[in-house]
Amino acid sequence: MEIHELSREEIDRLLKRAPLGHLACAKDGQPYIACVNFAASDRHLYGFTTMGKKVEWMRANPLVCVAFEEVKSPREWATAVVTGRYEELPDAHGTVELRDYAYALLQSKGRQWWEPGYVRTVLRSGERPLEPLYFRISIETATGRRAGLDPIEAAQPKRPSPSVLSSARRAVRKALNAVIR
Amino acid sequence: MEIHELSREEIDRLLKRAPLGHLACAKDGQPYIACVNFAASDRHLYGFTTMGKKVEWMRANPLVCVAFEEVKSPREWATAVVTGRYEELPDAHGTVELRDYAYALLQSKGRQWWEPGYVRTVLRSGERPLEPLYFRISIETATGRRAGLDPIEAAQPKRPSPSVLSSARRAVRKALNAVIR
């Protein structure tokens, strides 16, 4: 297996294809992760969710990170990681067009994009209220990597053994034990 | 589709089964996400990586979040979200047993657990150095949810139409346009 960097064009294409993203936000230094359906335009990721912990946190600190993956197998995948700023698209003058745009973009992805946000959720404390909310992430940085079989594996598809690492571990333990005892 | 909360026992079982996790760390309010193979014990997630951005960030701020998923289909899945503290297991007196434990636990998961950390990575700036590092996350909170078909869908497996949401959107737009114009 070998990992290579994606070009900006490859990242853009991945963002447009990829379905669910992992969205990380942070409050007082504590990160939090949630899954959100996104639809990408050139400079933004448009999303839909319902009021809850992540929205409260992103209102307090708009800095976020979103990770997308396309996984063919555990050793053949592509990933894109975006950092950016949360921006809410409220039901207000000035954002009607943006909300319509977000709706059309999400709709065009052809999945149940309002899930898992807009889904009846039964918690021990009761049923979660469903207050819909559109938002977007303005993309500040975007990096991407692709993993694939290296030339040797591709020619001879056999999994490499972990002997390199495990023998290194054994050597480390032996050396340390010799020092300690 | 309906979402239900997982019990602590269900979360523990998911953490033990689930392969790759999404690890979020944060520095100066900016979150960052990376994929890491973990192996769970009762109170910790043991992981292996190589030196790089996420380790630098977790050394500066040990508060992290890890998300795991088991996806059967886009509408049938389980997820667990853990918050906790990063703790490095260096090559030093006092952590040899913990490193051996981490190694054995990761090894027992039967996957290429040293990937994607310990993999030749070719970036535009050159090849990434591979300096291995064991660590663990002490689990502070753990929540989990499961999505499945609701009783109506299960009896009549037809996807619900987005008409509820789209008609709500149309009503909002109509009302806003009436106010604005």
Side-chain angles (χ1 to χ4, degrees), chain B residues 120-123 125-130:
Chain B
R120 181 169 181 256
T121 303
V122 184
L123 309 175
S125 54
E127 207 166 308
R128 180 171 65 90
L130 295 178

Side-chain angles (χ1 to χ4, degrees), chain A residues 92-111:
Chain A
H93 181 42
T95 53
V96 178
E97 284 74 14
L98 278 177
R99 282 171 62 99
D100 276 350
Y101 182 63
Y103 175 81
L105 213 58
L106 285 160
Q107 190 78 329
S108 73
K109 291 203 79 169
R111 299 179 80 237

Side-chain angles (χ1 to χ4, degrees), chain B residues 30-170:
Chain B
Q30 174 63 61
Y32 178 66
I33 300 180
C35 283
V36 176
N37 267 306
F38 283 103
S41 73
D42 283 346
R43 293 163 173 269
H44 295 92
L45 301 172
Y46 287 84
F48 172 82
T49 186
T50 47
M51 271 304 297
K53 181 173 173 175
K54 64 178 169 298
V55 172
E56 284 164 31
W57 284 34
M58 292 189 294
R59 282 178 177 172
N61 170 23
L63 301 177
V64 298
C65 179
V66 191
F68 296 93
E69 287 101 33
E70 278 188 334
V71 179
K72 191 174 157 194
S73 79
R75 320 195 76 216
E76 289 165 288
W77 43 259
T79 177
V81 177
V82 166
T83 63
R85 279 183 171 269
Y86 170 76
E87 190 186 333
E88 219 158 292
L89 305 177
D91 253 340
H93 181 43
T95 53
V96 178
E97 283 74 13
L98 278 178
R99 282 170 62 97
D100 276 351
Y101 182 63
Y103 175 80
L105 213 59
L106 286 160
Q107 191 77 331
S108 74
K109 290 203 78 169
R111 299 179 80 238
Q112 268 117 321
W113 51 265
W114 56 93
E115 293 177 353
Y118 202 78
V119 171
R120 181 169 181 256
T121 303
V122 184
L123 309 175
R124 277 185 287 277
S125 54
E127 207 166 308
R128 180 171 65 90
L130 295 178
E131 194 184 323
L133 188 141
Y134 287 86
F135 67 98
R136 66 177 186 176
I137 309 294
S138 60
I139 299 173
E140 292 185 355
T141 70
T143 56
R145 295 185 182 184
R146 172 188 293 114
L149 302 182
D150 60 44
I152 296 166
E153 288 170 300
Q156 186 187 335
K158 200 180 81 178
R159 294 194 159 193
S161 87
S163 61
V164 177
L165 268 178
S166 58
S167 65
R169 288 280 305 120
R170 278 194 295 273

Side-chain angles (χ1 to χ4, degrees), chain A residues 135-156:
Chain A
F135 68 98
R136 65 178 186 176
I137 309 294
S138 59
I139 300 174
E140 292 185 356
T141 70
T143 56
R145 294 185 183 184
R146 172 187 293 116
L149 303 181
D150 61 42
I152 296 165
E153 289 170 300
Q156 187 188 334

Side-chain angles (χ1 to χ4, degrees), chain A residues 32 50-53 116 119-130, chain B residues 2-7 77 79 143-147:
Chain A
Y32 177 66
T50 47
M51 270 306 297
K53 181 173 173 174
V119 171
R120 181 169 179 256
T121 303
V122 184
L123 308 175
R124 276 184 288 277
S125 54
E127 206 166 310
R128 179 172 66 90
L130 295 178
Chain B
E2 206 168 75
I3 298 175
H4 288 265
E5 212 166 358
L6 296 183
S7 68
W77 43 259
T79 177
T143 56
R145 295 185 182 184
R146 172 188 293 114

